[in-house]
Amino acid sequence: MLHMNETPSVCKIIPFQMEILSRHREYLSRWIEAGLPMGVCDADVFSASQREPGLSSEYIVIWVRETPDPAYKVFSRGNKWIVVDAVREHQLGQFSSFADALNMVRPVLPRPEKIVAA
């Protein structure tokens, strides 16, 4: 039972969030270069205007040949990478790796095959 001078302990939950690291930027550069013949025009990393718990503080915008406006937006939510159709604001998928998210946009870099036990 709590007494008047006692306060209940407060537990703050800090949501897990991945950030865009230098290795992601390097992979993005290689992906853009490999994707140029397939219609990838450019991509850039932007800082989020408002910080939201569980979301990365930065996001990637991707331009493709088919539209002058940004076509895709990639960001992390918790431990997943989210790909959004930037024109229609529709989520296209959630992926466990950054490479898988970019592969959904344009499969231009070889992905390691999953090893299956015989």
Side-chain angles (χ1 to χ4, degrees), residues 54-108:
L55 293 179
S56 58
S57 61
E58 296 177 316
Y59 60 94
I60 296 166
V61 175
I62 301 169
W63 285 268
V64 295
R65 180 175 41 226
E66 295 83 19
T67 177
D69 297 320
Y72 301 95
K73 184 176 177 181
V74 179
F75 59 92
S76 71
R77 180 182 298 135
N79 65 347
K80 297 286 186 189
W81 289 96
I82 311 299
V83 178
V84 173
D85 177 338
V87 175
R88 294 170 196 83
E89 290 295 323
H90 183 269
Q91 183 174 316
L92 300 173
Q94 296 183 29
F95 303 90
S96 58
S97 76
F98 182 68
D100 288 340
L102 293 181
N103 190 58
M104 193 240 83
V105 174
R106 294 286 197 278
V108 297

Coordinates of all heavy atoms in Angstrom, one line a residue, residues 54-108:
G54 N 9.9 5.7 -32.3 CA 9.9 4.5 -33.1 C 10.3 4.7 -34.6 O 10.5 3.7 -35.3
L55 N 10.3 5.9 -35.0 CA 10.6 6.2 -36.4 C 12.0 6.8 -36.5 O 12.5 7.5 -35.6 CB 9.7 7.2 -37.1 CG 8.2 6.7 -37.3 CD1 7.4 7.8 -37.9 CD2 8.2 5.5 -38.1
S56 N 12.7 6.5 -37.6 CA 14.1 7.0 -37.8 C 14.0 8.6 -37.9 O 13.0 9.1 -38.4 CB 14.8 6.4 -39.0 OG 14.0 6.6 -40.2
S57 N 15.1 9.2 -37.6 CA 15.1 10.7 -37.7 C 15.3 11.2 -39.1 O 15.2 12.4 -39.4 CB 16.1 11.3 -36.7 OG 17.4 10.8 -37.1
E58 N 15.7 10.2 -40.0 CA 15.9 10.6 -41.4 C 15.1 9.6 -42.3 O 14.7 8.5 -41.9 CB 17.4 10.5 -41.8 CG 18.3 11.4 -41.0 CD 19.7 11.2 -41.4 OE1 20.2 10.1 -41.4 OE2 20.4 12.2 -41.6
Y59 N 14.9 10.0 -43.5 CA 14.2 9.2 -44.5 C 14.8 9.4 -45.9 O 15.5 10.4 -46.1 CB 12.7 9.4 -44.5 CG 12.3 10.8 -44.9 CD1 12.0 11.2 -46.2 CD2 12.2 11.8 -43.9 CE1 11.7 12.5 -46.6 CE2 11.9 13.1 -44.2 CZ 11.6 13.4 -45.6 OH 11.2 14.7 -45.9
I60 N 14.6 8.5 -46.7 CA 15.2 8.5 -48.1 C 14.1 8.7 -49.1 O 13.0 8.1 -49.0 CB 16.0 7.2 -48.4 CG1 17.1 7.1 -47.5 CG2 16.4 7.2 -49.9 CD1 17.8 5.7 -47.4
V61 N 14.3 9.7 -50.0 CA 13.4 9.9 -51.1 C 14.0 9.5 -52.4 O 15.2 9.8 -52.6 CB 13.0 11.4 -51.1 CG1 12.1 11.7 -52.3 CG2 12.2 11.8 -49.9
I62 N 13.3 8.7 -53.2 CA 13.9 8.2 -54.5 C 13.1 8.7 -55.6 O 11.8 8.7 -55.6 CB 13.8 6.6 -54.4 CG1 14.6 6.1 -53.3 CG2 14.3 6.1 -55.8 CD1 14.4 4.6 -53.0
W63 N 13.8 9.2 -56.6 CA 13.2 9.7 -57.9 C 13.5 8.7 -59.0 O 14.6 8.1 -59.0 CB 13.8 11.0 -58.3 CG 13.4 12.2 -57.5 CD1 12.3 13.0 -57.8 CD2 14.0 12.7 -56.3 NE1 12.2 14.0 -56.8 CE2 13.2 13.8 -55.9 CE3 15.0 12.3 -55.6 CZ2 13.5 14.6 -54.8 CZ3 15.4 13.0 -54.4 CH2 14.6 14.1 -54.1
V64 N 12.5 8.4 -59.8 CA 12.6 7.5 -60.9 C 12.2 8.3 -62.2 O 11.6 9.3 -62.2 CB 11.8 6.2 -60.8 CG1 12.3 5.4 -59.6 CG2 10.3 6.6 -60.6
R65 N 12.6 7.7 -63.3 CA 12.4 8.3 -64.6 C 10.9 8.6 -64.9 O 10.6 9.5 -65.6 CB 13.0 7.4 -65.7 CG 13.0 7.9 -67.1 CD 13.7 7.0 -68.1 NE 13.5 5.6 -67.8 CZ 14.5 4.7 -67.9 NH1 15.8 5.1 -68.1 NH2 14.4 3.5 -67.6
E66 N 10.1 7.8 -64.4 CA 8.6 7.8 -64.8 C 7.9 9.1 -64.3 O 6.8 9.4 -64.7 CB 7.9 6.6 -64.3 CG 8.4 5.3 -65.0 CD 9.6 4.7 -64.3 OE1 9.9 5.0 -63.2 OE2 10.3 3.9 -65.0
T67 N 8.4 9.7 -63.2 CA 7.7 10.8 -62.6 C 8.7 11.9 -62.2 O 9.8 11.6 -61.6 CB 6.8 10.4 -61.4 OG1 6.2 11.5 -60.8 CG2 7.6 9.6 -60.4
P68 N 8.4 13.2 -62.3 CA 9.3 14.3 -61.9 C 9.2 14.4 -60.3 O 10.1 15.0 -59.7 CB 8.7 15.5 -62.5 CG 7.3 15.2 -62.8 CD 7.2 13.7 -63.0
D69 N 8.1 13.9 -59.7 CA 8.0 14.0 -58.2 C 8.7 12.8 -57.6 O 8.9 11.8 -58.3 CB 6.5 14.0 -57.8 CG 5.8 15.3 -58.4 OD1 6.4 16.3 -58.3 OD2 4.7 15.1 -58.8
P70 N 9.1 12.9 -56.3 CA 9.6 11.7 -55.7 C 8.7 10.6 -55.8 O 7.5 10.7 -55.5 CB 9.8 12.2 -54.2 CG 9.9 13.7 -54.3 CD 9.0 14.1 -55.5
A71 N 9.2 9.4 -56.1 CA 8.3 8.2 -56.3 C 8.2 7.3 -55.1 O 7.2 6.7 -54.8 CB 8.9 7.4 -57.5
Y72 N 9.3 7.3 -54.3 CA 9.3 6.4 -53.2 C 9.9 7.1 -52.0 O 10.8 7.9 -52.1 CB 10.2 5.1 -53.4 CG 9.6 4.3 -54.6 CD1 10.2 4.5 -55.9 CD2 8.6 3.4 -54.4 CE1 9.7 3.8 -56.9 CE2 8.1 2.6 -55.5 CZ 8.7 2.8 -56.8 OH 8.2 2.1 -57.8
K73 N 9.5 6.6 -50.8 CA 10.0 7.1 -49.5 C 10.4 5.9 -48.7 O 9.6 4.9 -48.6 CB 9.0 8.0 -48.8 CG 9.5 8.6 -47.5 CD 8.4 9.5 -47.0 CE 8.7 10.1 -45.7 NZ 7.7 10.9 -45.1
V74 N 11.6 5.8 -48.2 CA 12.1 4.7 -47.4 C 12.5 5.2 -46.0 O 13.3 6.2 -45.9 CB 13.3 4.0 -48.1 CG1 13.8 2.8 -47.2 CG2 12.9 3.5 -49.5
F75 N 12.0 4.6 -44.9 CA 12.4 4.9 -43.6 C 12.3 3.7 -42.7 O 11.7 2.7 -43.1 CB 11.5 6.1 -43.1 CG 10.0 5.8 -43.1 CD1 9.4 5.3 -42.0 CD2 9.3 6.0 -44.2 CE1 8.1 5.0 -42.0 CE2 7.9 5.8 -44.2 CZ 7.3 5.2 -43.1
S76 N 12.8 3.8 -41.5 CA 12.7 2.7 -40.6 C 11.6 3.0 -39.5 O 11.4 4.1 -39.1 CB 14.0 2.4 -39.9 OG 14.3 3.4 -39.0
R77 N 10.9 1.9 -39.2 CA 9.9 2.0 -38.1 C 10.2 0.8 -37.2 O 10.1 -0.4 -37.6 CB 8.5 1.9 -38.6 CG 7.5 2.0 -37.4 CD 6.0 1.8 -37.9 NE 5.7 2.9 -38.8 CZ 5.0 2.8 -39.9 NH1 4.6 1.6 -40.3 NH2 4.7 3.8 -40.6
G78 N 10.8 1.0 -36.0 CA 11.2 -0.1 -35.1 C 12.3 -0.8 -35.8 O 13.3 -0.2 -36.1
N79 N 12.2 -2.1 -36.0 CA 13.2 -2.9 -36.6 C 12.9 -3.2 -38.1 O 13.5 -4.2 -38.6 CB 13.5 -4.1 -35.8 CG 12.4 -5.1 -35.8 OD1 11.2 -4.7 -36.2 ND2 12.6 -6.3 -35.3
K80 N 12.0 -2.5 -38.7 CA 11.6 -2.8 -40.1 C 11.9 -1.6 -41.0 O 11.8 -0.4 -40.5 CB 10.1 -3.1 -40.2 CG 9.7 -4.4 -39.5 CD 10.2 -5.6 -40.2 CE 9.6 -6.8 -39.5 NZ 10.2 -8.0 -40.1
W81 N 12.2 -1.8 -42.2 CA 12.3 -0.7 -43.2 C 11.0 -0.7 -44.0 O 10.5 -1.7 -44.5 CB 13.5 -1.0 -44.1 CG 14.8 -0.8 -43.4 CD1 15.5 -1.8 -42.8 CD2 15.5 0.4 -43.2 NE1 16.6 -1.3 -42.2 CE2 16.6 0.1 -42.4 CE3 15.2 1.7 -43.5 CZ2 17.5 1.0 -42.0 CZ3 16.1 2.7 -43.1 CH2 17.3 2.3 -42.4
I82 N 10.4 0.5 -44.1 CA 9.2 0.7 -44.7 C 9.4 1.4 -46.1 O 10.1 2.4 -46.2 CB 8.2 1.6 -43.8 CG1 8.2 1.1 -42.4 CG2 6.9 1.7 -44.4 CD1 7.7 -0.3 -42.2
V83 N 8.7 0.9 -47.1 CA 8.7 1.6 -48.4 C 7.3 2.1 -48.7 O 6.3 1.4 -48.6 CB 9.1 0.6 -49.5 CG1 9.1 1.3 -50.9 CG2 10.5 0.0 -49.3
V84 N 7.2 3.4 -49.0 CA 6.0 4.1 -49.3 C 6.0 4.6 -50.7 O 7.0 5.2 -51.1 CB 5.7 5.2 -48.2 CG1 4.5 6.0 -48.5 CG2 5.7 4.6 -46.8
D85 N 4.8 4.5 -51.4 CA 4.6 5.2 -52.7 C 4.4 6.7 -52.3 O 3.4 7.1 -51.7 CB 3.4 4.6 -53.3 CG 3.0 5.3 -54.6 OD1 3.4 6.4 -54.8 OD2 2.3 4.7 -55.4
A86 N 5.4 7.5 -52.6 CA 5.4 8.9 -52.2 C 4.4 9.7 -53.0 O 3.9 10.7 -52.5 CB 6.8 9.5 -52.4
V87 N 3.9 9.2 -54.1 CA 2.9 10.0 -54.9 C 1.5 9.8 -54.2 O 0.8 10.7 -54.0 CB 2.9 9.5 -56.3 CG1 1.8 10.2 -57.1 CG2 4.2 9.8 -57.0
R88 N 1.2 8.5 -53.9 CA -0.1 8.2 -53.3 C -0.1 8.1 -51.8 O -1.2 7.8 -51.2 CB -0.6 6.9 -54.0 CG -0.9 7.1 -55.5 CD -1.2 5.8 -56.1 NE -1.0 5.9 -57.6 CZ 0.1 5.8 -58.3 NH1 1.3 5.6 -57.6 NH2 0.1 5.9 -59.6
E89 N 1.0 8.1 -51.2 CA 1.2 8.0 -49.7 C 0.6 6.6 -49.3 O -0.1 6.5 -48.3 CB 0.5 9.1 -49.0 CG 1.2 10.4 -49.1 CD 2.6 10.4 -48.4 OE1 2.7 9.8 -47.4 OE2 3.5 11.1 -49.0
H90 N 0.9 5.6 -50.1 CA 0.5 4.2 -49.8 C 1.6 3.3 -49.4 O 2.6 3.3 -50.2 CB -0.3 3.7 -51.0 CG -0.8 2.3 -50.8 ND1 -0.2 1.2 -51.1 CD2 -2.0 1.9 -50.3 CE1 -0.9 0.1 -50.8 NE2 -2.1 0.6 -50.3
Q91 N 1.6 2.6 -48.3 CA 2.7 1.7 -47.9 C 2.7 0.5 -48.9 O 1.7 -0.1 -49.1 CB 2.5 1.3 -46.5 CG 3.6 0.4 -46.0 CD 3.5 0.0 -44.5 OE1 3.2 0.9 -43.7 NE2 3.8 -1.2 -44.2
L92 N 3.9 0.3 -49.4 CA 4.1 -0.8 -50.3 C 4.7 -2.1 -49.7 O 4.6 -3.1 -50.2 CB 5.1 -0.4 -51.5 CG 4.5 0.8 -52.3 CD1 5.6 1.3 -53.2 CD2 3.3 0.5 -53.0
G93 N 5.3 -1.9 -48.5 CA 5.9 -3.1 -47.9 C 6.8 -2.7 -46.7 O 7.2 -1.6 -46.5
Q94 N 7.0 -3.8 -45.9 CA 7.9 -3.7 -44.7 C 8.9 -4.8 -44.9 O 8.6 -5.9 -45.3 CB 7.1 -4.0 -43.4 CG 6.1 -3.1 -43.1 CD 5.4 -3.4 -41.7 OE1 6.1 -4.0 -40.9 NE2 4.2 -3.1 -41.5
F95 N 10.2 -4.4 -44.6 CA 11.3 -5.3 -44.9 C 12.2 -5.4 -43.7 O 12.4 -4.4 -43.0 CB 12.0 -4.9 -46.2 CG 11.1 -4.8 -47.4 CD1 10.5 -3.6 -47.6 CD2 10.9 -5.9 -48.1 CE1 9.6 -3.5 -48.7 CE2 10.0 -5.8 -49.2 CZ 9.3 -4.6 -49.5
S96 N 12.9 -6.5 -43.6 CA 13.8 -6.7 -42.4 C 15.2 -6.1 -42.7 O 15.9 -5.9 -41.7 CB 13.9 -8.2 -42.1 OG 14.4 -8.9 -43.2
S97 N 15.5 -5.8 -43.9 CA 16.8 -5.2 -44.2 C 16.6 -4.0 -45.2 O 15.7 -4.0 -46.0 CB 17.8 -6.2 -44.8 OG 17.5 -6.5 -46.1
F98 N 17.6 -3.1 -45.1 CA 17.6 -1.9 -46.0 C 17.7 -2.4 -47.4 O 17.1 -1.9 -48.3 CB 18.8 -1.0 -45.5 CG 18.9 0.2 -46.3 CD1 17.9 1.2 -46.2 CD2 20.0 0.4 -47.1 CE1 18.0 2.4 -46.9 CE2 20.1 1.6 -47.9 CZ 19.1 2.6 -47.8
A99 N 18.6 -3.4 -47.7 CA 18.8 -3.9 -49.0 C 17.5 -4.5 -49.6 O 17.2 -4.3 -50.8 CB 19.9 -4.9 -49.0
D100 N 16.8 -5.2 -48.8 CA 15.5 -5.7 -49.2 C 14.5 -4.6 -49.6 O 13.7 -4.8 -50.6 CB 14.9 -6.7 -48.2 CG 15.6 -8.0 -48.1 OD1 16.4 -8.3 -49.0 OD2 15.5 -8.6 -47.0
A101 N 14.5 -3.5 -48.8 CA 13.6 -2.4 -49.1 C 13.9 -1.8 -50.5 O 13.1 -1.6 -51.3 CB 13.7 -1.4 -48.0
L102 N 15.2 -1.5 -50.7 CA 15.6 -1.0 -52.0 C 15.4 -2.0 -53.1 O 15.0 -1.6 -54.3 CB 17.1 -0.6 -52.0 CG 17.4 0.6 -51.1 CD1 18.9 1.0 -51.1 CD2 16.6 1.8 -51.4
N103 N 15.6 -3.3 -52.9 CA 15.3 -4.3 -53.9 C 13.9 -4.3 -54.3 O 13.6 -4.6 -55.5 CB 15.8 -5.7 -53.3 CG 15.8 -6.7 -54.3 OD1 16.5 -6.6 -55.3 ND2 15.0 -7.8 -54.1
M104 N 13.0 -4.0 -53.4 CA 11.6 -3.9 -53.8 C 11.3 -2.8 -54.8 O 10.5 -2.9 -55.7 CB 10.7 -3.7 -52.6 CG 9.2 -3.9 -52.8 SD 8.2 -2.4 -52.5 CE 8.3 -1.5 -53.9
V105 N 12.0 -1.7 -54.6 CA 11.9 -0.5 -55.6 C 12.4 -0.9 -56.9 O 11.7 -0.8 -57.9 CB 12.6 0.7 -55.0 CG1 12.6 1.9 -56.0 CG2 11.9 1.2 -53.7
R106 N 13.6 -1.4 -57.0 CA 14.3 -1.8 -58.2 C 15.3 -2.9 -57.8 O 16.2 -2.6 -57.1 CB 15.0 -0.7 -59.0 CG 14.2 0.4 -59.5 CD 13.4 -0.1 -60.8 NE 12.9 1.0 -61.6 CZ 11.8 1.7 -61.3 NH1 11.1 1.4 -60.2 NH2 11.4 2.7 -62.1
P107 N 15.1 -4.1 -58.3 CA 16.1 -5.2 -58.0 C 17.3 -5.1 -58.9 O 17.5 -5.9 -59.8 CB 15.3 -6.5 -58.2 CG 14.3 -6.1 -59.3 CD 14.0 -4.6 -59.1
V108 N 18.2 -4.2 -58.5 CA 19.4 -4.0 -59.4 C 20.7 -4.6 -58.9 O 21.6 -4.7 -59.6 CB 19.6 -2.5 -59.7 CG1 18.4 -2.0 -60.5 CG2 19.8 -1.7 -58.5

